[in-house]
Amino acid sequence: MRIAEYVSFDGVGLAELVARGEVTPAELEAAAREAAREVGPRINAIVETWPADDEPVPGSTPLAGVPFLIKDIGVAMAGRRMELGSRLAAGHVAGADSFLMRRFRRAGLVTFGRTATPEMAFSNTTEPVLYGATRNPWDPERSAGGSSGGAGAAVAAGVVPIAHATDAAGSIRVPAAYNGLFGLKPTRGRVSMGPYADEVFNGLAVHGGVSRTVRDSAALLDRIRGPEPGDPYFAQEPSRPYAEEVTRPPGPLRIGVLAQAWGGRRTTAPVADALSRTVRLLESLGHHVEEAEAGLGADWEEFVLASARQWTANLAASVDELAAALGRPVDSSTLEPPVLASYHYGQRVSGPRFVTALEIRNRVARSLARHFDAYDLLLTPTVPELPVPLGTHAEGAEALDGLGWLRRLFDLSPFTAAFNVAGTPAMSVPVTADAGTGLPVGMQFAAGYGLEGRLFRLAGQLEQASPWSGRTPQVWAGNHTGR
């Protein structure tokens, strides 16, 4: 199968070809590997590929035979390296599959490599020292986002139609916005984090994926959702498969708009213009859209401080465990300056301060939940500006402590983290592009706890009505094998 044909299908479409016997999983994998070789040097999204194996592919799932990539953190694949984008974990090999990896296998996904992530997933850009910067396929001088930046760039460039991603503060949605993809952060407890953890970052982190079509993400979530033995909690199962929700009319929705972020970071003109166009599109589809007064339940600085304490305390524990297991020092030879500073900050977080941070988390979650009594969905820009130039995050980072680093990350992505704190589902949708640069602009929609189905219904409608579909990344420009 030629690359041009391969990248014209989404994952569900490729699986349908396999089911009809028109192509084999091996042929799809070969096309994916060729695409990876073609664009890999230009975007640096994949840190490792593995030799093909002869593992049988289940033939009865909507994604059977589809080439797939996992993120270099959060999911363990037996016998394969998981290095967390860090020199501290370089060479670390997983001893067994995690629950999620087992579900990827049962879904029939053909996993042939891992994608780049910033060190410890502790950034919203993917520029680790270990493997270098991942570049945005729409403009290689710009960031692909983070922490699932490798996944976002690989999918946008057509290497795979869908890829694994994680999200603790926007790490699915920011790369989706930067790369012109669909990305949904599921409800807390929707996908198991086991067996090596009951929850990650005290429930802030979730598993999901990024994709070029809404139905691919829905099909993936259908295959990976549901509890596993020992999970501390789980979200109630949906009334119907998410793949069915994508094709169902959403009906008229009450949508509250938050154009400016809680922390005072102003939305830039290109993104504000895209938001206005999105509002007009929603109104033309019959939805009621109005400006919302969506309080956070905490002062912004209080929220950032609580988040910094929670994040860095968890980081410190993880780093200590890794260092002990691998026999390595925790210093500048193993950790980058922002992560090392955050580690030291986390070491100083006391038990009482950590508990106070969890109390603030509860206040924010309760406050946001009340807004879903007034609105079916909340709409914000996913990020307040277009994809930033590579190197933006690193400017002066060596002088920041852990709180300063978290403040920088939240300033660059001020709309996303609150919904991780609340545990509610949120998605980034590539509704439009910036008129001046052609770069994608993502819009974030959030729903109440457990209501991914509502998001999928609206996303399916927007996908049909949006002018975004069919655009080709700059990385393929002038290449006859591209889209």
Side-chain angles (χ1 to χ4, degrees):
M1 174 178 271
R2 286 172 52 81
I3 296 179
E5 182 184 8
Y6 167 73
V7 301
S8 70
F9 288 90
D10 67 355
V12 172
L14 291 173
E16 290 171 348
L17 294 180
V18 171
R20 293 196 298 265
E22 297 179 26
V23 68
T24 67
E27 289 172 327
L28 293 183
E29 183 180 355
R33 290 177 182 275
E34 185 181 353
R37 288 191 296 270
E38 186 72 37
V39 301
R42 283 173 275 168
I43 60 174
N44 193 36
I46 303 171
V47 298
E48 183 183 22
T49 59
W50 305 307
D53 59 35
D54 297 323
E55 183 175 337
V57 175
S60 59
T61 74
L63 294 172
V66 174
F68 192 67
L69 296 165
I70 56 174
K71 186 176 176 180
D72 189 28
I73 195 169
V75 57
M77 186 176 186
R80 302 301 187 191
R81 284 188 289 173
M82 180 176 65
E83 298 173 307
L84 294 72
S86 177
R87 292 167 293 169
L88 180 65
H92 170 68
V93 175
D97 283 353
S98 61
F99 289 150
L100 179 60
M101 191 65 229
R102 294 179 196 173
R103 295 200 176 202
F104 287 152
R105 292 186 193 274
R106 290 200 296 267
L109 292 159
V110 179
T111 304
F112 68 96
R114 56 193 171 105
T115 59
T117 184
E119 185 169 57
M120 305 291 174
F122 224 70
S123 180
N124 43 32
T125 188
T126 303
E127 304 177 47
V129 168
L130 181 62
Y131 287 114
T134 296
R135 297 179 178 274
N136 192 309
W138 300 94
D139 180 350
E141 297 305 311
R142 294 178 186 259
S143 170
S147 63
S148 305
V155 172
V159 176
V160 289
I162 187 169
H164 165 246
T166 66
D167 192 317
S171 290
I172 289 174
R173 291 156 290 160
V174 173
Y178 274 17
N179 293 283
L181 303 174
F182 177 78
L184 184 141
K185 177 196 84 68
T187 294
R188 180 181 295 143
R190 179 67 70 203
V191 181
S192 177
M193 307 300 291
Y196 308 109
D198 55 357
E199 58 181 17
V200 175
F201 277 33
N202 307 108
L204 296 180
V206 295
H207 287 290
V210 289
S211 60
R212 296 198 305 271
T213 66
V214 177
R215 70 175 185 170
D216 273 4
S217 282
L220 181 70
L221 189 54
D222 277 333
R223 307 313 302 178
I224 64 175
R225 61 179 165 83
E228 293 279 0
D231 285 353
Y233 48 78
F234 56 90
Q236 183 178 355
E237 288 291 279
S239 59
R240 64 181 62 86
Y242 294 128
E244 294 182 13
E245 298 284 17
V246 175
T247 61
R248 291 172 63 88
L253 298 171
R254 300 165 299 160
I255 301 175
V257 180
L258 188 69
Q260 303 297 335
W262 290 285
R265 172 68 184 273
R266 303 302 294 175
T267 299
T268 59
V271 177
D273 176 66
L275 178 62
S276 297
R277 282 182 276 153
T278 301
V279 168
R280 291 195 295 271
L281 175 61
L282 291 166
E283 290 173 337
S284 74
L285 295 171
H287 303 297
H288 176 74
V289 187
E290 64 180 47
E291 185 176 347
E293 293 292 335
L296 191 59
D299 174 81
W300 179 253
E301 283 301 316
E302 183 182 34
F303 174 68
V304 172
L305 176 60
S307 297
R309 287 172 173 170
Q310 189 177 348
W311 277 43
T312 62
N314 277 275
L315 173 72
S318 297
V319 166
D320 283 339
E321 182 178 0
L322 266 174
L326 298 175
R328 291 173 180 165
V330 179
D331 57 26
S332 59
S333 71
T334 56
L335 293 180
E336 298 165 28
V339 177
L340 184 60
S342 297
Y343 166 78
H344 288 310
Y345 188 91
Q347 286 184 309
R348 298 191 297 271
V349 174
S350 67
R353 285 178 173 174
F354 187 79
V355 171
T356 299
L358 297 181
E359 291 174 352
I360 293 171
R361 180 189 70 173
N362 178 62
R363 280 166 38 198
V364 171
R366 304 293 180 182
S367 178
L368 286 177
R370 286 194 294 270
H371 300 311
F372 294 113
D373 292 332
Y375 300 106
D376 297 312
L377 301 175
L378 292 176
L379 163 63
T380 77
T382 306
V383 286
E385 59 188 314
L386 299 175
V388 298
L390 290 169
T392 297
H393 291 66
E395 294 176 0
E398 65 280 352
L400 299 176
D401 65 0
L403 175 59
W405 180 243
L406 263 292
R407 185 179 287 118
R408 171 169 294 185
L409 298 184
F410 278 34
D411 181 63
L412 287 163
S413 178
F415 290 105
T416 54
F419 298 108
N420 294 81
V421 170
T424 59
M427 66 181 181
S428 182
V429 183
V431 179
T432 188
D434 173 49
T437 63
L439 291 168
V441 182
M443 290 294 134
Q444 176 179 240
F445 294 85
Y449 194 89
L451 297 180
E452 288 97 327
R454 183 175 293 171
L455 292 174
F456 277 123
R457 289 195 294 273
L458 177 64
Q461 183 186 53
L462 289 174
E463 188 173 46
Q464 296 299 313
S466 165
W468 173 256
S469 60
R471 294 176 181 265
T472 304
Q474 176 68 24
V475 74
W476 284 110
N479 188 328
H480 71 280
T481 60
R483 282 183 277 175

